[in-house]
């Protein structure tokens, strides 16, 4: 019989936005509120009993989980980036832009060690390799614009530190990571 001490679950959860609130803006506002308070990837995780009501997919999984043990939830792109931090090359980078290119969403974090200093989220299907390279460059330069990303049909962008990154490692994960194979930022395809 399976009897784990705890289980980590990654679920992509857009969140149920209140009526009249853009679902793209709502999702991004929730991410940024958590990161402003605690700028670490771990801030984007929740124990099952702490799940906010708007995370309906995660709550559904929590409500149907058959084992009696603690459940820790995280959004799938954030979990992928956190997992990539286990790669020794990624962990060794002082400054890193870690991108997860999913089937539907692309999420990029600007990291100084373990500290999140910025991010952007966009819809993968709306991004060309050139546009994604441009957004990564803006994130690195500290001049990415939230409203411009939103108007481009993305979710948004946040900078907690606007100092330009002189050098950084571009860590790439996700099922559509090949989009960045020819990036001018010299991508590193992180594991796992």
């Amino acid at each position: 019989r399976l009897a784990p001490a705890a289980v980590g679950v990654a679920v992509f959860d857009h969140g149920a936005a209140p009526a009249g609130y853009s679902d793209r803006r709502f999702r991004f506002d929730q991410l940024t509120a958590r990161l402003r308070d605690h700028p670490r990837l771990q801030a984007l995780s929740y124990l099952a009993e702490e799940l906010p009501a708007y995370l309906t997919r995660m709550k559904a999984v929590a409500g149907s989980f058959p084992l009696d043990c603690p459940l820790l939830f995280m959004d799938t792109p954030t979990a992928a980036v956190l997992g990539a931090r286990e790669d020794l090359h990624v962990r060794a980078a002082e400054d890193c832009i870690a991108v997860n290119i999913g089937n539907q969403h692309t999420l990029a974090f600007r990291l100084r060690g373990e500290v999140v200093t910025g991010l952007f989220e966009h819809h993968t299907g709306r991004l060309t390799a050139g546009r994604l390279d441009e957004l990564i460059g803006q994130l690195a330069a500290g001049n990415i614009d939230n409203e411009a990303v939103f108007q481009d049909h993305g979710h948004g962008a946040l900078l907690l530190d606007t100092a330009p990154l002189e050098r950084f490692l571009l860590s790439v994960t996700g099922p559509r990571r090949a989009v960045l194979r020819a990036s001018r930022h010299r991508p590193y395809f992180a594991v796992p």
Side-chain angles (χ1 to χ4, degrees):
R1 173 164 146 76
L2 184 64
V7 173
V9 182
V11 176
F12 185 84
D13 197 335
H14 216 283
Y21 199 146
S22 160
D23 64 339
R24 290 182 293 137
R25 223 181 268 280
F26 179 75
R27 173 175 162 78
F28 201 76
D29 287 351
Q30 303 316 307
L31 291 172
T32 61
R34 299 267 306 185
L35 289 171
R36 283 185 194 280
D37 289 344
H38 189 73
R40 302 271 194 283
L41 294 169
Q42 295 86 340
L44 300 176
S45 63
Y46 301 86
L47 290 169
E49 59 273 11
E50 298 171 345
L51 283 167
Y54 68 84
L55 293 174
T56 55
R57 290 179 185 167
M58 290 184 191
K59 287 192 79 69
V61 171
S64 66
F65 195 73
L67 301 176
D68 184 24
C69 67
L71 290 175
L72 181 70
F73 284 87
M74 187 173 255
D75 206 42
T76 50
T78 308
V81 168
L82 186 61
R85 296 282 304 148
E86 295 301 314
D87 182 298
L88 296 178
H89 190 61
V90 177
R91 185 179 296 183
E94 181 178 341
D95 289 317
C96 177
I97 294 183
V99 183
N100 180 264
I101 306 173
N103 290 320
Q104 300 296 320
H105 290 81
T106 294
L107 187 58
F109 289 94
R110 178 179 143 145
L111 302 165
R112 168 151 285 173
E114 298 294 321
V115 178
V116 176
T117 63
L119 73 147
F120 72 82
E121 185 172 32
H122 211 299
H123 291 108
T124 304
R126 297 247 182 202
L127 292 171
T128 63
R131 178 67 177 136
L132 185 50
D133 242 15
E134 182 181 312
L135 290 169
I136 291 166
Q138 291 172 2
L139 187 61
N143 62 14
I144 195 166
D145 181 78
N146 178 52
E147 192 59 28
V149 172
F150 183 79
Q151 292 304 322
D152 191 38
H153 303 285
H155 287 248
L158 171 71
L159 286 167
L160 298 172
D161 181 349
T162 59
L165 302 180
E166 299 300 322
R167 294 176 24 184
F168 64 91
L169 172 71
L170 175 60
S171 166
V172 184
T173 58
R176 302 215 21 219
R177 63 188 168 271
V179 168
L180 281 176
R181 188 163 309 284
S183 170
R184 71 178 193 262
H185 301 295
R186 299 176 321 276
Y188 173 72
F189 293 94
V191 295

